[in-house]
Amino acid sequence: MRETLYYMERDFRRWSRGKVNVISALILPAAWLIFVGLALPIRFTDNYLDFITPGILVLTMLGASLQGGALLMFDKILGFLQKFLAMPAPRETILFGKILFITCRGLIQTTIILIMAIFLGAHYLNPLLLLQTYIVLFIFGVLLSSVMTTVALSLEDHDSYAAFNSMIAMPLFFTSSALMPYDQMPAWLATIAHLNPVSYAIDAIRAMQEGIFPATTILGLLIGATCVLSVSVVVFRRATL
């Protein structure tokens, strides 16, 4: 565990030095929160900001996870990964440290967005709701960051990773339940949204807003994260032989 934290600390130090990266990661979610959450005329709810905030939080975690795989890609291209593998620490700690960093970085970003949402009028002052929201975001972050680190290990160059990232980022968000409920969608889009893992995280947070603990959804996300993480470990071992 100590080695995992060392690798995570290394990435946090590098990330904290790039002020532009920190700010740019917040621009898109903040824009959605302000210009869509406050300005879009919606009739299916009296408080669209409360409705869209879970979607923006998950979007922030999604963006952090999609960008996070590039860190492992750069370490591989620049030769740092090979140097880390020569150290006595178990090689899996490199992967776990990277996934933990990506997830914790996403939680920091979602916290900033959540504070903005509360100031704008979203009702998120219940401590239990906040705790449950962070649990869902953490599990979702582990799931997505495991997927993206696996993709980074499987691709050969950063351009391929960037192309893959661009190909799935917006479709994952726009085919989810982030912007509207299922009954307001066309039938074909509702079907896709029900299958989208992004919708599971969003729906779980919305259920908790209503005082319902979505145990089945959270368990499904947890099982998915565990399975994907196990696959990521196998791929990492094969890639670093």
Side-chain angles (χ1 to χ4, degrees):
M1 184 63 185
R2 184 176 61 182
E3 294 87 351
T4 297
L5 295 178
Y6 284 151
Y7 286 122
M8 183 184 71
E9 180 186 0
R10 176 249 182 187
D11 283 324
F12 264 119
R13 288 179 181 271
R14 182 171 62 176
W15 179 58
S16 63
R17 292 170 185 153
K19 304 289 191 301
V20 175
N21 294 333
V22 177
I23 296 172
S24 64
L26 298 172
I27 290 177
L28 180 61
W32 274 101
L33 192 66
I34 296 171
F35 296 112
V36 177
L38 294 179
L40 198 64
I42 297 297
R43 298 179 180 177
F44 60 79
T45 179
D46 294 330
N47 191 335
Y48 189 55
L49 185 62
D50 274 352
F51 179 84
I52 199 175
T53 294
I56 301 302
L57 293 176
V58 174
L59 169 65
T60 306
M61 183 60 77
L62 173 65
S65 300
L66 293 178
Q67 295 173 3
L71 300 174
L72 186 57
M73 175 66 72
F74 279 124
D75 280 349
K76 184 171 67 172
I77 294 173
L78 298 176
F80 290 112
L81 181 59
Q82 292 302 319
K83 295 179 181 179
F84 293 151
L85 292 172
M87 295 181 179
R91 60 181 57 196
E92 289 81 8
T93 57
I94 302 171
L95 178 66
F96 295 151
K98 193 74 67 179
I99 291 173
L100 190 59
F101 161 71
I102 295 169
T103 303
C104 290
R105 182 183 67 176
L107 289 177
I108 293 173
Q109 294 171 351
T110 56
T111 299
I112 297 173
I113 296 298
L114 185 57
I115 292 172
M116 291 179 58
I118 291 173
F119 274 113
L120 291 173
H123 299 88
Y124 266 87
L125 297 178
N126 185 328
L128 180 59
L129 173 60
L130 287 173
L131 175 61
Q132 293 173 337
T133 298
Y134 276 111
I135 290 173
V136 172
L137 291 174
F138 180 82
I139 297 173
F140 181 72
V142 171
L143 172 62
L144 260 294
S145 56
S146 299
V147 170
M148 297 314 296
T149 50
T150 303
V151 171
L153 288 167
S154 304
L155 298 177
E156 296 298 327
D157 57 83
H158 181 260
D159 289 339
S160 299
Y161 180 85
F164 179 85
N165 193 335
S166 301
M167 180 178 65
I168 68 170
M170 286 297 101
L172 277 175
F173 181 68
F174 284 111
T175 59
S176 71
S177 59
L179 301 179
M180 65 184 72
Y182 299 110
D183 57 8
Q184 298 292 318
M185 300 179 186
W188 63 269
L189 181 57
T191 301
I192 297 174
H194 277 295
L195 300 175
N196 189 340
V198 176
S199 296
Y200 297 159
I202 295 170
D203 294 346
I205 297 175
R206 285 191 182 136
M208 291 184 295
Q209 284 179 309
E210 299 173 0
I212 303 170
F213 185 74
T216 302
T217 304
I218 293 178
L219 180 61
L221 287 171
L222 186 59
I223 293 173
T226 303
C227 293
V228 175
L229 181 59
S230 300
V231 172
S232 186
V233 170
V234 172
V235 173
F236 183 80
R237 287 175 178 171
R238 290 180 179 177
T240 55
L241 287 176

